[in-house]
Amino acid sequence: MPDTVVLLLSVVPLAMVLMMIVSQRVGEVSDAYTGEITGRGVGSSTGTYGPTGRYVMHIRTDQGRELTIEVNGRTYQSLGVGDRVVKTAGARWPVRE
């Protein structure tokens, strides 16, 4: 019995974190919008495997929403402030309109 409790206490938090990550990613992919890039930024952090880059874009949608999204390096390089973008449902990243 005590082994079962220890197992549950170690597995349940991990499962909850994984479910949160998956639900966030599903929401990002199913989202669709058009808008304009209002800002960009690059951050970095040093983790276990060395430095990692983080590319962020700020987008104002045509509906007035302010979004801050993390994108890959290729998307970051291809889009600049003032560019009109469109993101379709099912696409991972926005593209130039």
Side-chain angles (χ1 to χ4, degrees):
M1 177 80 165
D3 292 335
T4 305
V5 172
V6 170
L7 180 64
L8 285 175
L9 289 175
S10 62
V11 172
V12 170
L14 177 62
M16 290 176 57
V17 168
L18 290 174
M19 287 180 8
M20 289 172 36
I21 291 170
V22 167
S23 67
Q24 179 183 6
R25 296 291 183 202
V26 168
E28 289 175 356
V29 172
S30 64
D31 201 12
Y33 55 82
T34 58
E36 181 177 333
I37 297 175
T38 58
R40 314 178 337 144
V42 177
S44 66
S45 62
T46 303
T48 304
Y49 301 107
T52 57
R54 183 172 177 242
Y55 304 98
V56 177
M57 294 197 157
H58 304 284
I59 299 173
R60 180 178 300 119
T61 68
D62 293 344
Q63 293 76 30
R65 289 179 17 201
E66 297 285 337
L67 304 175
T68 300
I69 61 168
E70 189 170 338
V71 298
N72 63 2
R74 176 178 283 164
T75 302
Y76 183 83
Q77 294 298 325
S78 68
L79 300 172
V81 174
D83 286 347
R84 297 271 313 153
V85 293
V86 60
K87 186 199 170 290
T88 57
R92 179 78 172 128
W93 314 114
V95 295
R96 186 173 287 122
E97 191 174 47

